Amino acid sequence: MSSFNDVLKKSFSNLPIFFHNLQRINPNTFMCIKKDSYNRFQFCFVALGCMIRMFLTYMILIIFVGHVPLIGTYITSMYIAVALDGNHELLLITFALGTINCDESWVWFMRRLKECLGDSTEVGFISHMTKSIYFAVRRVYPDSYHGYCCKNIAEKIQDSTISNTVVEQLLQNEVNGNDLHWLDNIVIAKWVRAFFPLKHELPITTIIQMVHDSMQGVYIQRATFGVNFTGEFHGLLTPYALKVLQKRFIHSDGCRVRHIVGDRYDVSKYLTTEFVQLEDGICTCGKWQKCGIPCDHAIASLQRLEIEEIQQMVNLKLTTAVYQNTFQIETVNPIPILMHWKYQLKVFSSYLHDNLLEL
């Protein structure tokens, strides 16, 4: 009888054909295997075609990236990129499994992500305050916005070992204008563990299968939820977007507005003044651009309008109609069981050469 260690090793040899069948049933899926100089497994990257299409078509282009350590002899790190759908719910975009967690591994992950999204796609990033992620984002996406999780900033501020200079810099660079309601209750590492509570070492193909099956369940669940957005709710804002807009509508009462010219306004609140340009959906506080919902300052500039009219200025990706399309058009197809795998050696060999083996 083979040992469990033999089973783990065999799963790596099965990984290319496993990927072949995963891509066969989920078209346009992007996968990559990286080996070290000794031809040993180092990383693998998985992005289902439906995940990438869904993100680029139906979501605000902000990506949350994070890492979680895994228990294992061969696989010790999991890298993830997630986004938020129109109702403020996390959705996996892509993930990778690897043997190490360092600057180079994050650069490799970010480069694969960029290949999936396209070189010309402009995205922003939110992460924990780790040097490796910061290094990778700056290397691969040098012109992109990169913010930090608000809760992680709070933890750093409470850490007595961090100097006051660092704290002041964090407050100036990240807290002001970074009131993304998306971040209020999200701790990326905690979400990863809740999403993938791996307590024991598993074969690499089993790990990928678990993530795949979990995402399939999420798609089905949200497609069912989206069915409720019919009749009078069709085309309106999702519950999350409506809640945020109403909250900002109330907070706009404290703003003082000065019309400059055309659609441009100066809006003051407390000790800060922001510049609003309505037609372009821009406010210097950054909130409108980041989450697609008019900020307090923009709403104050539109004070003559009712909230129903202001709703039309929210990003269309936060409407119930788009939410329905998100989970009804795209689906995660089940991976065939082992007895139904297709090998097709000639095609498979070409596939390995062109798409998988990055030595």
Side-chain angles (χ1 to χ4, degrees):
M1 181 180 292
S2 61
S3 66
F4 183 66
N5 192 56
D6 292 335
V7 173
L8 293 177
K9 290 182 178 180
K10 186 176 180 180
S11 69
F12 288 97
S13 63
N14 285 337
L15 187 58
I17 190 62
F18 175 83
F19 275 174
H20 173 64
N21 282 275
L22 177 61
Q23 188 182 59
R24 179 172 62 87
I25 204 68
N26 290 284
N28 300 315
T29 290
F30 180 94
M31 294 164 294
C32 185
I33 296 174
K34 185 179 188 301
K35 296 185 178 183
D36 63 18
S37 58
Y38 297 98
N39 201 37
R40 297 174 302 191
F41 174 88
Q42 196 170 17
F43 301 105
C44 72
F45 179 95
V46 182
L48 297 184
C50 60
M51 295 177 180
I52 299 301
R53 290 192 300 272
M54 184 177 292
F55 173 68
L56 294 175
T57 306
Y58 301 113
M59 297 184 185
I60 304 293
L61 299 184
I62 296 288
I63 297 175
F64 301 79
V65 290
H67 163 264
V68 63
L70 301 180
I71 299 174
T73 305
Y74 305 105
I75 301 298
T76 61
S77 298
M78 183 176 186
Y79 313 83
I80 64 159
V82 300
L84 288 161
D85 64 21
N87 199 40
H88 187 61
E89 296 175 306
L90 288 163
L91 192 71
L92 183 69
I93 301 173
T94 183
F95 67 98
L97 300 170
T99 57
I100 55 174
N101 176 33
C102 61
D103 291 356
E104 290 74 19
S105 62
W106 272 107
V107 169
W108 185 84
F109 176 78
M110 295 301 297
R111 284 176 174 164
R112 303 293 82 74
L113 176 65
K114 192 169 189 177
E115 288 180 33
C116 292
L117 302 181
D119 289 342
S120 60
T121 301
E122 296 182 3
V123 296
F125 293 92
I126 302 293
S127 73
H128 276 189
M129 298 176 62
T130 61
K131 293 181 179 179
S132 291
I133 297 178
Y134 176 83
F135 174 79
V137 172
R138 294 276 67 82
R139 175 71 66 85
V140 182
Y141 284 93
D143 300 323
S144 294
Y145 169 82
H146 183 193
Y148 298 119
C149 172
C150 291
K151 286 185 179 291
N152 190 230
I153 292 176
E155 292 170 359
K156 295 294 184 182
I157 292 174
Q158 292 173 359
D159 188 344
S160 59
T161 63
I162 297 180
S163 67
N164 291 332
T165 302
V166 174
V167 172
E168 291 173 2
Q169 186 177 15
L170 286 174
L171 289 171
Q172 292 173 0
N173 294 343
E174 300 301 336
V175 176
N176 290 337
N178 193 34
D179 183 24
L180 284 174
H181 291 275
W182 296 8
L183 305 180
D184 290 347
N185 298 305
I186 296 174
V187 179
I188 298 175
K190 184 176 181 180
W191 176 85
V192 175
R193 290 181 175 88
F195 170 77
F196 191 68
L198 186 60
K199 297 182 180 179
H200 305 286
E201 187 168 14
L202 294 171
I204 188 170
T205 51
T206 302
I207 297 174
I208 298 171
Q209 177 88 56
M210 288 174 63
V211 177
H212 173 276
D213 292 349
S214 179
M215 290 313 304
Q216 186 180 24
V218 167
Y219 275 56
I220 294 172
Q221 182 185 40
R222 295 187 190 175
T224 302
F225 179 69
V227 173
N228 298 323
F229 297 142
T230 56
E232 61 178 319
F233 296 103
H234 186 74
L236 299 180
L237 300 182
T238 61
Y240 161 75
L242 184 59
K243 179 181 178 181
V244 171
L245 185 63
Q246 290 172 335
K247 183 178 179 180
R248 292 184 176 180
F249 195 89
I250 294 171
H251 289 174
S252 68
D253 287 344
C255 295
R256 298 189 304 274
V257 181
R258 183 175 70 89
H259 182 228
I260 301 176
V261 62
D263 67 329
R264 302 180 181 185
Y265 297 83
D266 274 342
V267 182
S268 300
K269 188 174 183 179
Y270 305 127
L271 300 177
T272 62
T273 299
E274 306 293 349
F275 174 74
V276 178
Q277 192 167 349
L278 296 175
E279 290 185 6
D280 294 331
I282 294 174
C283 180
T284 51
C285 76
K287 298 178 187 177
W288 194 357
Q289 300 94 294
K290 293 171 186 173
C291 68
I293 303 174
C295 59
D296 306 355
H297 313 102
I299 293 173
S301 303
L302 297 166
Q303 56 190 314
R304 290 171 295 179
L305 301 180
E306 299 294 333
I307 190 169
E308 290 77 12
E309 298 174 282
I310 296 176
Q311 286 186 33
Q312 299 177 13
M313 305 190 74
V314 175
N315 193 304
L316 289 175
K317 294 180 179 180
L318 301 177
T319 62
T320 56
V322 171
Y323 185 93
Q324 282 183 317
N325 288 336
T326 302
F327 298 102
Q328 292 179 357
I329 293 177
E330 298 291 355
T331 59
V332 178
N333 297 318
I335 303 173
I337 61 176
L338 181 59
M339 63 181 297
H340 294 145
W341 280 11
K342 289 187 178 180
Y343 292 82
Q344 298 176 330
L345 293 180
K346 290 185 178 180
V347 175
F348 179 54
S349 298
S350 176
Y351 170 81
L352 286 178
H353 182 270
D354 295 338
N355 299 293
L356 283 177
L357 298 181
E358 181 185 300
L359 301 178

